[in-house]
Amino acid sequence: MTEPRKRVLLAKPRGYCAGVDRAVQTVEEALKLYGAPVYVRKQIVHNKHVVSTLEARGAIFVEENFEVPEGSTVVFSAHGVAPEVHDQARERNLKAIDATCPLVTKVHHEAKRFAAADYDILLIGHEGHEEVIGTAGEAPEHIQLVDGPDDVDNVVVRDPAKVVWLSQTTLSVDETMETVARLKTRLPLLQSPPSDDICYATSNRQHVIKEIAPECDVVIVVGSTNSSNSVRLVEVALGAGARAGHLVDYASEIQDEWLAGATTVGVSSGASVPDELVMEVLAHLAERGFGEVTEFTTAEERLTFSLPQELRRDMKAAGKAS
């Protein structure tokens, strides 16, 4: 009896998005320009491997500005910060480089604009996530968090005619739309953001996973457990018909029993994952008979972001303009 054909469906787009690429490059260039140590408030991106690699080069990760010695350089993570964090940096005479993803900054601007017009803002997102804390900090008196569809019943607004929803950029597209639909049942005049807040990279990665999941016995997503978009990819895969789904930081975490009886394995990675980690997963699978790899592409991503202006200015002054 012939062995069933074993194969891998490799999702594309996967891995680094433009905002993550910019944030990681910001820390790398800051280390080159200013020398170690460069302090980074919170994880620059939510990926264990990226953080440990940058630590080895001289980055020091801290939770808050008060841990950074006065007068030092501090980089703010891709997830964005509340205005008070900038104020704290100024008080400590820190050289702050803001690596917030421009797509998160867009949501901050929307929050400020709607708050200035005295709207109630319903921010759809996960409680405690750094991005949510940063966005809510732009207009705390106007913003209330809606943590998924089940949280809709807790919403209280002043004027049902002056309400808008915004969202964290790394959510499940489907779950967010379900939350919005429930909100609109309660608040028919609810306004939407001028453009979609869920970032293109999150949407693209979820879309391709949905396409391949029905054919997969198991889907392996490379990403860290604190990465919202990576965790969502596993959920989306399961919701779209994958028989099983697992999140791993490294190939060594893949358990052989996950592959027992499987013929088709789907592979993708979160938006903060370097592709070398995916290649290691493919090599691991190949050693176990899954040598046939078909890349399944649903979109081409060409977006890039320039480095933060504070860093570009100093690079130019040093004759190292990018």
Side-chain angles (χ1 to χ4, degrees), residues 63-79:
E63 283 300 303
E64 298 296 346
N65 284 337
F66 67 78
E67 299 171 64
V68 181
E70 291 209 19
S72 299
T73 298
V74 63
V75 178
F76 296 147
S77 81
H79 309 103

Side-chain angles (χ1 to χ4, degrees), residues 209-278:
I209 273 283
K210 272 188 188 174
E211 292 289 316
I212 65 173
E215 295 186 52
C216 294
D217 299 302
V218 59
V219 168
I220 293 170
V221 174
V222 186
S224 294
T225 52
N226 64 336
S227 163
S228 175
N229 77 87
S230 300
V231 172
R232 300 291 84 73
L233 281 177
V234 178
E235 293 173 356
V236 168
L238 292 169
R243 259 72 79 203
H246 302 280
L247 185 66
V248 299
D249 269 297
Y250 298 103
S252 58
E253 296 171 18
I254 297 171
Q255 297 176 25
D256 285 342
E257 53 261 38
W258 298 349
L259 307 175
T263 56
T264 302
V265 176
V267 174
S268 186
S269 57
S272 46
V273 177
D275 215 41
E276 66 196 79
L277 299 182
V278 177

Side-chain angles (χ1 to χ4, degrees), residues 169-171 173 198-207 229 233:
T169 62
T170 54
L171 299 178
V173 177
I198 294 178
C199 88
Y200 75 96
T202 298
S203 300
N204 286 348
R205 279 149 193 69
Q206 289 177 17
H207 178 66
N229 77 87
L233 281 177

Side-chain angles (χ1 to χ4, degrees), residues 9-22:
L9 296 182
L10 178 60
K12 184 181 178 185
R14 63 180 179 275
Y16 270 17
C17 61
V20 164
D21 198 29
R22 172 183 187 262

Side-chain angles (χ1 to χ4, degrees), residues 2-46:
T2 55
E3 279 277 308
R5 193 180 64 150
K6 292 181 176 181
R7 61 177 183 152
V8 173
L9 296 182
L10 178 60
K12 184 181 178 185
R14 63 180 179 275
Y16 270 17
C17 61
V20 164
D21 198 29
R22 172 183 187 262
V24 174
Q25 200 184 339
T26 295
V27 179
E28 291 170 344
E29 293 295 340
L31 284 164
K32 281 189 227 167
L33 189 61
Y34 309 122
V38 165
Y39 292 84
V40 184
R41 183 185 177 277
K42 308 288 186 186
Q43 291 189 359
I44 186 69
V45 296
H46 286 157

